[in-house]
Amino acid sequence: MKTFRAFAAALSSLLLSFAVQAAGLLGPAALAARHASLAPQLAGNAFGGPLVLQSDEPPRRIEGDVYAVLEHPFGAVSGALSDPAQWCEILILHLNTKYCRRAEMEGVPRVQLRVGRKEPQAVQSASLLDFAWRAPQARPDYLAVQMDAPDGPYDTRDYRLFAEAVPLPGGRTFLHLGYGMGYGGASRLAMQLYLGTIGRDKVGFTRVGRAGQEEFVDGLRGVVERNTMRYYLAIDAYLDSLALPPGQQLEKRLRAWFDATERYPRQLHEVERDAYLRMKRDEVQRQASAR
């Protein structure tokens, strides 16, 4: 049982980092239409800003998406998200990301990610996700990027990470961010153990009715929603930091990401600020020195 619990904890770290997909890339016309249809929800929600978070749990998959209005011009968003190296600067902000690098294999760009615990950890002991990077669609009125990994550790598979965006009036951008993965019987059993023990008090953001009461969603949908929010906040923090001189950007984005997550302590608080900053400074330095 002790070995199985360790397996479950390791798998939970992996799922907590990449536990969503969504509806897939919509394309420029459909994304603009989605912005219009979501206008009431973007204008009034529990997040205190223009954000819509959705989640679902179809058979053998975990899925979800986030739609958000970014206070950044489309050109800046497109320039950052169409570059796999800059994605690594974004992804490292997440607690569970231990290392990220842009690589190339047989002429195909890749984003190689190591995910693990919410504490300092050797790169070699963290789980590898090796994403093939698709050539982005980068137009004056639309951006789409996607990366896929057919296999993952602990009986997981069919990973997908994507983002698409269209410009909005006033120098803003409408972003659709999606993640997803499939899983088998062993990984499902491990996640059920995690969610029934050390993860039993963790919840997401959506309120659902249960026994006549409204509660936050939990289980795998809670996993989806927590990490969809974490990655949205990472993108926003990264874009904010680009306005500063290069030497000040890292500290800005680290502090901004942590402070943003603390606006939702029920869902996102995991470690204290100083511990997060120390760990991430070290991980970013390790990532940079390995290039």
Side-chain angles (χ1 to χ4, degrees), residues 42-55:
L42 291 167
N45 55 67
F47 300 113
L51 172 71
V52 174
L53 183 61
Q54 300 175 346
S55 61

Side-chain angles (χ1 to χ4, degrees), residues 114-133:
R114 293 277 185 171
V115 295
R117 299 188 295 269
K118 302 178 183 71
E119 58 190 35
Q121 182 180 5
V123 169
Q124 294 78 9
S125 66
S127 299
L128 173 65
L129 287 174
D130 189 4
F131 287 91
W133 172 267

Side-chain angles (χ1 to χ4, degrees), residues 29-164:
L31 185 58
R34 185 65 56 88
H35 174 256
S37 68
L38 292 176
Q41 293 166 266
L42 291 167
N45 55 67
F47 300 113
L51 172 71
V52 174
L53 183 61
Q54 300 175 346
S55 61
D56 194 13
E57 188 184 347
R60 300 291 184 176
R61 284 200 68 83
I62 311 174
E63 302 182 350
D65 21 14
V66 60
Y67 298 91
V69 175
L70 299 174
E71 296 296 328
H72 302 283
F74 177 76
V77 175
S78 179
L81 299 187
S82 60
D83 179 4
Q86 291 189 68
W87 268 101
C88 279
E89 301 301 319
I90 294 167
L91 296 173
I92 196 65
L93 298 177
H94 193 294
L95 277 167
N96 294 101
T97 303
K98 303 289 102 181
Y99 179 83
C100 180
R101 71 165 185 166
R102 182 196 183 282
E104 190 163 315
M105 186 179 299
E106 298 180 350
V108 178
R110 311 194 73 83
V111 174
Q112 296 179 330
L113 198 69
R114 293 277 185 171
V115 295
R117 299 188 295 269
K118 302 178 183 71
E119 58 190 35
Q121 182 180 5
V123 169
Q124 294 78 9
S125 66
S127 299
L128 173 65
L129 287 174
D130 189 4
F131 287 91
W133 172 267
R134 295 190 185 183
Q137 301 179 52
R139 300 173 6 188
D141 63 344
Y142 179 66
L143 168 74
V145 298
Q146 182 170 313
M147 42 188 139
D148 303 277
D151 300 303
Y154 309 121
D155 195 29
T156 57
R157 60 182 73 94
D158 299 328
Y159 286 79
R160 179 180 300 171
L161 166 60
F162 68 83
E164 59 181 338

